[in-house]
Amino acid sequence: MSKIKEIISVLEEMAPLAYAEDFDNVGLLVGNQESEATGILVCHDALENIIDEAIAKNCNLVVCFHPILFSGLKKITGKNYVERAVIKAIKNDIAIYAVHTALDNHQEGVNKIFSDALGLVNTKILIPKENFIRKLVTYTIPENAEEVRNALFDAGAGTIGNYENCSFNSKGIGTYMGNEHSNPQVGERFEFVQGDEIKIEMTFEKHLENKILKALFKSHAYEEVAYEIYDLQNKHQNIGLGMIGELKNPMSEKEFLLFAKEKMQCGGIRHSNFIGKEIKKVAVLGGAGSFAIKNAIQAGADAYLTADLKYHQFYEAENKLLLADIGHFESERYTKNYIVEYLRKKILNFAVILSEENSNPVKYL
């Protein structure tokens, strides 16, 4: 049997919480992570009927895409659907864990799933995440350099795109002199020491900083570790919102929309004017994506599929691309299947169940 916190570790490997947007509410929302898990129910929205399903199927952990608790609750009286779901979960010792934008921003997450459903190839992130990469610079004696590098690599530093163990190393001359409280590795107190040093530089994702510094201090030969950390302006090309790719075979605008409607099982699609443009390059963003219309145009997309577009936002297509609202749930509909498949590969000692409930609140005539 596994504790819920052990399952959370697996979920955070799939969708690191640090990838989530600042406005979001992800992670364990309800429940005690120290509880023993009996089963996992995966759903899109953790509504009251989903909690009933979890009870019936002996699952005390509900993993949902959308967080049932998004903004703060001042009262829990059962007066609305959010409060009723939370009350029922607490009364029945059921934990609720949400992934949302932590999985939106992952290169294998929501928008890759969306792209794969449409058969897009040569995909890349539409809006790479900013202010997420930092750089570590440290200095040590040559005899200690390999140990330090390997410790930092093991802690997650030095990964760039499809490459791991990336670093830059340069030789130089270091100097120091210790005071009466020092205990130098090389030389004596009050002795001016000058010797060969290796300067080691590598980048890392900012949420790994504490882990990386612990590895640095543990592996470093010096009593006082000299290091510097910089925020970089580089965008993270493998983390971010939306995705853009190419159809294997170009289509007309109408043909493409009918194709998307079938693949994403849409009740209907609202779209901008046809402009007679062949559709080859397609941008997607699961959920509400009006903010990325300009990004899709700048990226050279022939079509942009997303959801929750308002009336005036269709004008923003500016006759430069086909803009389509395929529905919020529809754009994310295969996400829960991905979560189930991921967890089943990682967790073998009890049930991971895909919810049978359809939580889409939007219906079509």
Side-chain angles (χ1 to χ4, degrees), residues 177-247:
M177 183 172 67
N179 63 22
E180 67 271 20
H181 303 294
S182 67
N183 184 27
Q185 177 75 15
V186 178
E188 303 294 335
R189 294 174 186 171
F190 306 112
E191 177 187 357
F192 179 79
V193 177
Q194 177 174 299
D196 292 338
E197 283 194 327
I198 302 295
K199 179 181 181 182
I200 302 171
E201 304 176 62
M202 58 181 72
T203 59
F204 62 92
E205 295 177 4
K206 67 178 183 180
H207 65 285
L208 298 174
E209 182 170 322
N210 288 339
K211 184 179 179 182
I212 285 167
L213 287 180
K214 286 179 181 178
L216 174 64
F217 298 149
K218 186 177 180 179
S219 62
H220 207 288
Y222 288 173
E223 180 183 27
E224 296 288 350
V225 180
Y227 71 95
E228 303 146 24
I229 290 178
Y230 303 97
D231 287 319
L232 300 184
Q233 295 299 310
N234 307 50
K235 295 179 180 179
H236 199 308
Q237 299 300 318
N238 290 321
I239 301 174
L241 292 168
M243 192 156 278
I244 186 164
E246 298 174 345
L247 292 167

Side-chain angles (χ1 to χ4, degrees), residues 13 121 312 347:
E13 288 176 8
V121 296
H312 290 95
I347 300 171

Side-chain angles (χ1 to χ4, degrees), residues 261 264-270 306-308 325-331 333 358 360-365:
K261 184 178 180 181
M264 305 307 294
Q265 302 177 38
C266 305
I269 294 181
R270 299 185 302 138
T306 187
D308 298 350
D325 183 335
I326 72 167
H328 195 121
F329 177 88
E330 288 80 2
S331 69
R333 70 158 57 250
N358 181 355
N360 187 2
V362 180
K363 309 301 178 186
Y364 301 89
L365 284 174

Side-chain angles (χ1 to χ4, degrees), residues 67-79:
I68 186 68
L69 289 171
F70 195 77
S71 54
L73 292 178
K74 293 185 177 180
K75 297 178 182 178
I76 305 180
T77 61
K79 68 178 180 181

Side-chain angles (χ1 to χ4, degrees), residues 51-68:
I51 305 303
D52 287 331
E53 184 182 9
I55 295 167
K57 294 177 178 176
N58 194 34
C59 296
N60 67 343
L61 173 60
V62 171
V63 177
C64 53
F65 179 65
H66 288 141
I68 186 68

